[in-house]
Amino acid sequence: MSINMKYKEIISSLPRREVSQNFTSFDYYQYKGFWFPLAFLESILFMEENFKAQPCNIFLCGSLKTGTTWLKSLVFSIMTRHHFDDSTNPILTKLPHDCIPTLEIDCDINFTSLDDTKFPLLGTHLPYTCLPQSIIDSKCKIIYICREPKDTFVSTWHYTKKLEETIPEFKDNPITLEQEIEWFLEGKSLYGPYWDHVSEYLKASKDRHGKNEIFFLKFEDLRNDTLSYVKKLAEFMGKPFSQEEEDQFVPEKIVATCEFGNLSNLEVNKSGSHNPKPGIKVNNNAFFRKGEIGDWKNLLSEDVAKSIDNITKEKLQSLIWD
Protein backbone atom coordinates (compact mmCIF):
# COMPACT_ATOMS: atom_id res chain seq x y z
CA MET A 1 0.00 0.00 0.00
CA SER A 2 1.40 3.41 -0.96
CA ILE A 3 1.90 6.13 1.64
CA ASN A 4 -0.84 8.22 0.08
CA MET A 5 -3.32 5.34 0.03
CA LYS A 6 -2.47 4.43 3.62
CA TYR A 7 -3.26 7.91 4.90
CA LYS A 8 -6.24 8.37 2.63
CA GLU A 9 -7.81 5.27 4.15
CA ILE A 10 -7.20 6.59 7.67
CA ILE A 11 -8.64 10.00 6.78
CA SER A 12 -11.72 8.50 5.14
CA SER A 13 -12.67 6.88 8.45
CA LEU A 14 -12.44 10.09 10.49
CA PRO A 15 -15.34 12.36 11.58
CA ARG A 16 -15.74 15.20 9.08
CA ARG A 17 -16.81 18.83 9.28
CA GLU A 18 -17.81 19.90 5.78
CA VAL A 19 -17.07 23.45 4.65
CA SER A 20 -18.44 23.23 1.13
CA GLN A 21 -19.21 20.54 -1.43
CA ASN A 22 -17.05 22.52 -3.86
CA PHE A 23 -14.13 23.08 -1.48
CA THR A 24 -13.16 19.69 -0.03
CA SER A 25 -9.47 20.59 0.53
CA PHE A 26 -10.57 22.60 3.54
CA ASP A 27 -13.08 20.17 4.94
CA TYR A 28 -12.00 19.47 8.52
CA TYR A 29 -11.38 16.01 9.95
CA GLN A 30 -11.21 15.09 13.62
CA TYR A 31 -8.02 13.26 14.54
CA LYS A 32 -7.08 12.44 18.13
CA GLY A 33 -9.78 14.83 19.31
CA PHE A 34 -8.67 17.82 17.22
CA TRP A 35 -9.80 19.26 13.88
CA PHE A 36 -7.54 19.65 10.86
CA PRO A 37 -8.12 20.57 7.20
CA LEU A 38 -7.63 17.85 4.60
CA ALA A 39 -4.92 20.02 3.00
CA PHE A 40 -2.68 19.50 6.07
CA LEU A 41 -3.81 16.19 7.51
CA GLU A 42 -1.82 13.85 5.26
CA SER A 43 1.37 15.72 6.19
CA ILE A 44 0.43 15.54 9.87
CA LEU A 45 0.01 11.76 9.70
CA PHE A 46 3.29 11.31 7.84
CA MET A 47 5.26 13.59 10.19
CA GLU A 48 3.79 11.85 13.22
CA GLU A 49 5.32 8.55 12.09
CA ASN A 50 8.47 9.63 10.30
CA PHE A 51 9.82 12.95 11.59
CA LYS A 52 13.03 12.48 13.58
CA ALA A 53 13.62 15.25 16.08
CA GLN A 54 17.10 15.89 17.47
CA PRO A 55 17.84 16.88 21.10
CA CYS A 56 19.20 20.23 19.88
CA ASN A 57 15.94 21.14 18.09
CA ILE A 58 13.72 23.91 19.46
CA PHE A 59 10.02 23.82 18.58
CA LEU A 60 7.83 26.91 18.68
CA CYS A 61 4.29 25.73 19.33
CA GLY A 62 0.93 27.43 19.58
CA SER A 63 -2.53 27.29 18.09
CA LEU A 64 -3.44 29.54 15.19
CA LYS A 65 -3.26 33.35 15.72
CA THR A 66 -1.88 33.25 19.25
CA GLY A 67 1.27 35.28 18.55
CA THR A 68 3.35 32.65 16.79
CA THR A 69 4.47 35.00 14.00
CA TRP A 70 5.84 37.49 16.51
CA LEU A 71 7.33 34.73 18.66
CA LYS A 72 9.16 33.34 15.63
CA SER A 73 10.72 36.73 14.90
CA LEU A 74 11.95 37.09 18.49
CA VAL A 75 13.29 33.54 18.80
CA PHE A 76 14.97 33.65 15.38
CA SER A 77 16.65 36.95 16.26
CA ILE A 78 17.84 35.56 19.60
CA MET A 79 19.22 32.38 18.05
CA THR A 80 20.96 34.04 15.07
CA ARG A 81 22.28 37.22 16.68
CA HIS A 82 25.90 36.10 16.29
CA HIS A 83 25.39 35.42 12.58
CA PHE A 84 23.73 38.70 11.55
CA ASP A 85 23.88 42.31 12.60
CA ASP A 86 21.05 44.83 12.90
CA SER A 87 21.01 45.47 9.16
CA THR A 88 21.38 41.89 7.88
CA ASN A 89 18.86 40.07 10.08
CA PRO A 90 16.69 38.02 7.63
CA ILE A 91 13.65 39.09 9.65
CA LEU A 92 13.98 42.45 7.88
CA THR A 93 13.54 40.91 4.43
CA LYS A 94 11.65 37.65 5.01
CA LEU A 95 8.37 36.70 6.64
CA PRO A 96 9.05 35.08 10.04
CA HIS A 97 7.33 31.92 8.75
CA ASP A 98 9.92 31.77 5.97
CA CYS A 99 12.70 32.04 8.57
CA ILE A 100 11.18 29.34 10.77
CA PRO A 101 8.91 26.99 8.78
CA THR A 102 5.79 25.42 10.27
CA LEU A 103 6.18 21.64 10.30
CA GLU A 104 2.79 20.48 8.99
CA ILE A 105 2.17 23.47 6.70
CA ASP A 106 5.44 24.63 5.13
CA CYS A 107 7.47 21.42 4.98
CA ASP A 108 7.28 18.90 2.18
CA ILE A 109 5.56 15.67 3.16
CA ASN A 110 8.88 13.81 2.84
CA PHE A 111 10.64 16.18 5.27
CA THR A 112 11.90 14.00 8.11
CA SER A 113 14.47 15.99 10.12
CA LEU A 114 16.26 19.28 10.66
CA ASP A 115 19.71 17.74 10.13
CA ASP A 116 20.51 19.84 7.08
CA THR A 117 19.32 23.19 8.43
CA LYS A 118 21.64 25.86 9.82
CA PHE A 119 19.42 26.79 12.75
CA PRO A 120 17.56 24.09 14.72
CA LEU A 121 14.24 25.95 14.83
CA LEU A 122 10.85 24.72 13.66
CA GLY A 123 7.29 25.84 14.32
CA THR A 124 4.07 23.90 14.59
CA HIS A 125 0.41 24.51 15.41
CA LEU A 126 -0.04 20.84 16.32
CA PRO A 127 -1.63 19.89 19.65
CA TYR A 128 0.71 18.13 22.07
CA THR A 129 -1.14 14.84 21.47
CA CYS A 130 -0.35 15.02 17.74
CA LEU A 131 3.34 15.91 17.95
CA PRO A 132 5.67 13.36 16.36
CA GLN A 133 6.73 11.00 19.16
CA SER A 134 10.38 11.75 18.45
CA ILE A 135 9.86 15.33 19.70
CA ILE A 136 8.78 13.98 23.07
CA ASP A 137 11.37 11.19 23.23
CA SER A 138 14.34 13.34 22.21
CA LYS A 139 13.59 15.81 25.03
CA CYS A 140 14.18 18.74 22.71
CA LYS A 141 12.96 22.12 23.88
CA ILE A 142 9.42 23.38 23.30
CA ILE A 143 8.28 26.99 23.54
CA TYR A 144 4.49 27.24 23.71
CA ILE A 145 2.47 30.44 23.42
CA CYS A 146 -1.24 30.83 24.13
CA ARG A 147 -3.58 33.81 24.01
CA GLU A 148 -6.85 34.90 25.60
CA PRO A 149 -9.49 32.79 23.79
CA LYS A 150 -11.75 35.65 22.67
CA ASP A 151 -8.83 37.56 21.14
CA THR A 152 -7.61 34.32 19.55
CA PHE A 153 -10.98 33.80 17.91
CA VAL A 154 -11.23 37.37 16.62
CA SER A 155 -7.70 37.31 15.22
CA THR A 156 -8.44 34.01 13.48
CA TRP A 157 -11.67 35.43 12.04
CA HIS A 158 -9.89 38.42 10.50
CA TYR A 159 -7.14 36.14 9.17
CA THR A 160 -9.76 33.95 7.48
CA LYS A 161 -11.26 37.04 5.82
CA LYS A 162 -7.78 37.91 4.52
CA LEU A 163 -7.51 34.47 2.92
CA GLU A 164 -10.48 35.35 0.73
CA GLU A 165 -8.22 37.84 -1.07
CA THR A 166 -5.87 35.17 -2.42
CA ILE A 167 -7.72 31.84 -2.27
CA PRO A 168 -10.70 31.91 -4.66
CA GLU A 169 -12.41 28.99 -2.93
CA PHE A 170 -12.63 31.01 0.29
CA LYS A 171 -14.14 33.95 -1.57
CA ASP A 172 -16.62 31.74 -3.41
CA ASN A 173 -17.64 29.92 -0.23
CA PRO A 174 -17.68 32.61 2.49
CA ILE A 175 -18.36 31.46 6.04
CA THR A 176 -20.42 33.71 8.28
CA LEU A 177 -19.22 35.05 11.61
CA GLU A 178 -22.11 33.23 13.30
CA GLN A 179 -21.00 29.90 11.82
CA GLU A 180 -17.37 30.43 12.87
CA ILE A 181 -18.48 31.31 16.40
CA GLU A 182 -20.59 28.16 16.57
CA TRP A 183 -17.68 25.99 15.42
CA PHE A 184 -15.30 27.67 17.88
CA LEU A 185 -17.65 27.10 20.82
CA GLU A 186 -18.18 23.47 19.74
CA GLY A 187 -14.41 22.94 19.50
CA LYS A 188 -14.54 22.42 15.73
CA SER A 189 -12.31 25.32 14.71
CA LEU A 190 -8.93 24.82 13.04
CA TYR A 191 -6.64 22.94 15.47
CA GLY A 192 -9.50 23.07 17.95
CA PRO A 193 -10.83 22.65 20.54
CA TYR A 194 -8.71 25.67 21.45
CA TRP A 195 -9.04 25.11 25.20
CA ASP A 196 -7.83 21.51 24.91
CA HIS A 197 -4.89 22.67 22.79
CA VAL A 198 -3.78 25.00 25.59
CA SER A 199 -4.52 22.62 28.44
CA GLU A 200 -2.48 19.78 26.92
CA TYR A 201 0.67 21.90 26.70
CA LEU A 202 0.01 23.40 30.12
CA LYS A 203 -0.22 19.91 31.63
CA ALA A 204 2.92 18.80 29.80
CA SER A 205 4.82 21.83 31.07
CA LYS A 206 3.81 20.97 34.63
CA ASP A 207 4.58 17.27 34.20
CA ARG A 208 8.04 18.13 32.88
CA HIS A 209 8.62 20.98 35.34
CA GLY A 210 12.23 21.29 36.39
CA LYS A 211 13.54 19.56 33.27
CA ASN A 212 13.89 22.80 31.30
CA GLU A 213 12.07 21.26 28.34
CA ILE A 214 8.87 23.32 27.94
CA PHE A 215 8.58 27.11 28.22
CA PHE A 216 4.89 28.00 28.54
CA LEU A 217 3.93 31.64 28.13
CA LYS A 218 0.95 33.84 27.44
CA PHE A 219 0.86 36.34 24.59
CA GLU A 220 -0.32 39.00 27.01
CA ASP A 221 2.69 38.55 29.29
CA LEU A 222 5.06 38.69 26.33
CA ARG A 223 3.32 41.82 25.06
CA ASN A 224 3.43 43.59 28.42
CA ASP A 225 7.04 42.74 29.32
CA THR A 226 8.77 41.81 26.07
CA LEU A 227 12.32 42.61 27.16
CA SER A 228 12.14 40.43 30.26
CA TYR A 229 10.76 37.50 28.27
CA VAL A 230 13.37 37.88 25.53
CA LYS A 231 16.02 37.39 28.21
CA LYS A 232 14.14 34.43 29.70
CA LEU A 233 13.75 32.84 26.27
CA ALA A 234 17.44 33.26 25.56
CA GLU A 235 18.27 31.49 28.83
CA PHE A 236 15.83 28.68 28.07
CA MET A 237 17.27 28.21 24.58
CA GLY A 238 20.79 27.95 25.95
CA LYS A 239 21.74 31.26 24.34
CA PRO A 240 21.88 33.68 27.30
CA PHE A 241 23.00 37.24 26.71
CA SER A 242 26.53 37.98 27.90
CA GLN A 243 27.28 40.98 30.08
CA GLU A 244 28.89 42.60 27.06
CA GLU A 245 25.70 42.11 25.07
CA GLU A 246 23.67 43.52 27.93
CA ASP A 247 25.96 46.57 28.05
CA GLN A 248 25.51 47.00 24.28
CA PHE A 249 21.70 46.77 24.63
CA VAL A 250 21.47 43.74 22.34
CA PRO A 251 18.23 42.45 23.98
CA GLU A 252 16.65 45.90 23.57
CA LYS A 253 17.67 45.99 19.91
CA ILE A 254 16.01 42.61 19.30
CA VAL A 255 12.83 43.85 20.94
CA ALA A 256 12.88 46.98 18.77
CA THR A 257 13.53 45.05 15.55
CA CYS A 258 10.68 42.65 16.28
CA GLU A 259 8.26 45.27 17.60
CA PHE A 260 4.87 44.69 16.02
CA GLY A 261 4.66 48.09 14.35
CA ASN A 262 8.14 47.72 12.91
CA LEU A 263 7.46 44.23 11.53
CA SER A 264 4.12 45.18 9.99
CA ASN A 265 5.68 48.19 8.24
CA LEU A 266 8.50 46.24 6.61
CA GLU A 267 8.09 46.12 2.84
CA VAL A 268 8.20 42.31 2.75
CA ASN A 269 5.30 42.14 5.21
CA LYS A 270 3.25 44.78 3.41
CA SER A 271 3.57 43.46 -0.14
CA GLY A 272 5.05 39.94 -0.08
CA SER A 273 3.25 36.61 -0.07
CA HIS A 274 3.63 33.18 1.48
CA ASN A 275 2.96 29.90 -0.33
CA PRO A 276 2.76 27.14 2.29
CA LYS A 277 1.13 24.52 0.05
CA PRO A 278 0.55 24.16 -3.71
CA GLY A 279 -2.44 26.29 -4.64
CA ILE A 280 -2.43 28.18 -1.33
CA LYS A 281 -1.17 31.76 -1.35
CA VAL A 282 -1.37 34.06 1.66
CA ASN A 283 -0.48 37.74 1.54
CA ASN A 284 2.12 38.48 4.21
CA ASN A 285 0.04 41.35 5.58
CA ALA A 286 -2.54 38.76 6.67
CA PHE A 287 -0.16 37.84 9.50
CA PHE A 288 -0.02 41.40 10.83
CA ARG A 289 -3.20 43.14 11.92
CA LYS A 290 -3.19 44.78 15.36
CA GLY A 291 -1.52 42.50 17.87
CA GLU A 292 -3.58 44.15 20.60
CA ILE A 293 -4.98 42.85 23.87
CA GLY A 294 -8.77 43.05 24.22
CA ASP A 295 -9.62 43.68 20.56
CA TRP A 296 -12.42 41.12 20.86
CA LYS A 297 -14.63 43.91 22.24
CA ASN A 298 -14.85 45.39 18.74
CA LEU A 299 -16.46 42.29 17.26
CA LEU A 300 -18.10 39.97 19.77
CA SER A 301 -21.41 40.48 21.54
CA GLU A 302 -21.65 40.22 25.32
CA ASP A 303 -23.49 36.92 25.02
CA VAL A 304 -20.81 35.36 22.79
CA ALA A 305 -18.05 36.70 25.05
CA LYS A 306 -19.79 35.19 28.08
CA SER A 307 -20.13 31.82 26.34
CA ILE A 308 -16.40 31.75 25.56
CA ASP A 309 -15.51 32.89 29.08
CA ASN A 310 -17.62 30.14 30.62
CA ILE A 311 -15.72 27.45 28.71
CA THR A 312 -12.41 29.11 29.59
CA LYS A 313 -13.28 29.11 33.30
CA GLU A 314 -14.27 25.46 33.10
CA LYS A 315 -11.29 24.16 31.12
CA LEU A 316 -8.46 26.56 31.96
CA GLN A 317 -9.05 27.30 35.62
CA SER A 318 -5.37 27.86 36.43
CA LEU A 319 -4.90 30.48 33.70
CA ILE A 320 -6.09 34.01 34.41
CA TRP A 321 -6.77 36.65 31.78
CA ASP A 322 -7.89 40.11 32.86
Side-chain angles (χ1 to χ4, degrees):
M1 182 184 298
S2 70
I3 290 177
N4 285 349
M5 284 302 299
K6 174 184 176 181
Y7 297 137
K8 280 181 170 58
E9 286 192 10
I10 293 174
I11 293 169
S12 68
S13 68
L14 299 175
R16 178 181 175 189
R17 192 208 84 180
E18 186 176 284
V19 173
S20 166
Q21 292 183 346
N22 301 317
F23 193 22
T24 57
S25 291
F26 274 83
D27 283 348
Y28 286 14
Y29 291 80
Q30 188 182 42
Y31 178 65
K32 292 188 174 181
F34 292 87
W35 292 87
F36 308 98
L38 178 61
F40 301 157
L41 191 48
E42 188 173 308
S43 293
I44 291 170
L45 293 172
F46 177 84
M47 299 289 182
E48 192 175 39
E49 287 189 343
N50 298 285
F51 181 80
K52 304 301 180 186
Q54 307 299 320
C56 64
N57 293 163
I58 299 175
F59 286 83
L60 280 62
C61 307
S63 192
L64 204 67
K65 307 310 295 177
T66 56
T68 54
T69 304
W70 183 34
L71 180 63
K72 282 184 176 184
S73 71
L74 290 168
V75 168
F76 183 83
S77 298
I78 294 168
M79 175 64 74
T80 66
R81 66 185 188 272
H82 298 136
H83 298 267
F84 309 109
D85 59 31
D86 296 342
S87 63
T88 60
N89 187 341
I91 287 295
L92 300 174
T93 56
K94 297 173 67 176
L95 181 73
H97 296 298
D98 289 327
C99 293
I100 302 179
T102 300
L103 179 64
E104 70 279 9
I105 298 175
D106 298 312
C107 299
D108 180 85
I109 190 171
N110 295 312
F111 180 81
T112 58
S113 76
L114 276 169
D115 288 342
D116 58 350
T117 60
K118 190 172 184 179
F119 306 113
L121 302 171
L122 198 61
T124 182
H125 294 305
L126 289 177
Y128 189 80
T129 299
C130 299
L131 289 176
Q133 187 60 39
S134 65
I135 295 178
I136 311 301
D137 293 342
S138 66
K139 303 186 186 304
C140 54
K141 293 181 184 295
I142 292 174
I143 300 171
Y144 182 81
I145 188 168
C146 66
R147 189 178 187 181
E148 197 281 329
K150 299 187 296 297
D151 277 340
T152 298
F153 171 80
V154 168
S155 185
T156 303
W157 166 253
H158 287 292
Y159 176 73
T160 302
K161 294 294 101 180
K162 277 286 188 179
L163 294 182
E164 293 180 1
E165 297 176 6
T166 53
I167 304 178
E169 290 86 352
F170 272 100
K171 186 175 183 178
D172 296 338
N173 300 274
I175 299 171
T176 65
L177 175 61
E178 291 72 24
Q179 178 63 81
E180 286 285 12
I181 290 171
E182 180 181 333
W183 281 333
F184 187 76
L185 292 171
E186 292 176 349
K188 295 181 178 180
S189 56
L190 179 55
Y191 295 102
Y194 176 70
W195 299 272
D196 294 352
H197 198 295
V198 176
S199 64
E200 281 195 353
Y201 278 95
L202 181 60
K203 181 180 184 302
S205 70
K206 292 178 178 178
D207 291 345
R208 295 162 71 175
H209 179 69
K211 298 181 180 179
N212 200 39
E213 293 174 9
I214 300 180
F215 190 108
F216 186 99
L217 77 159
K218 296 192 292 184
F219 170 84
E220 294 76 13
D221 292 339
L222 183 62
R223 193 83 168 85
N224 290 328
D225 193 5
T226 310
L227 180 60
S228 173
Y229 275 92
V230 161
K231 294 178 181 180
K232 290 177 183 178
L233 286 168
E235 288 278 353
F236 175 77
M237 294 162 60
K239 300 289 183 181
F241 295 102
S242 66
Q243 187 59 54
E244 182 181 1
E245 287 179 309
E246 294 270 9
D247 293 342
Q248 294 175 354
F249 301 103
V250 172
E252 287 85 352
K253 291 177 182 178
I254 289 176
V255 172
T257 296
C258 301
E259 191 271 328
F260 186 85
N262 185 59
L263 288 178
S264 60
N265 283 315
L266 293 173
E267 187 59 36
V268 64
N269 295 329
K270 290 194 295 184
S271 60
S273 63
H274 183 61
N275 299 84
K277 294 284 185 186
I280 300 177
K281 175 184 175 183
V282 185
N283 287 336
N284 288 353
N285 62 17
F287 296 100
F288 302 91
R289 196 175 70 87
K290 290 184 177 181
E292 294 179 351
I293 298 172
D295 187 50
W296 63 266
K297 297 174 184 176
N298 296 315
L299 182 69
L300 301 181
S301 68
E302 290 186 10
D303 287 344
V304 170
K306 185 176 181 180
S307 295
I308 294 176
D309 286 342
N310 287 340
I311 300 175
T312 302
K313 290 174 183 177
E314 175 189 348
K315 294 196 170 186
L316 298 175
Q317 294 180 1
S318 62
L319 291 180
I320 299 174
W321 280 283
D322 295 331

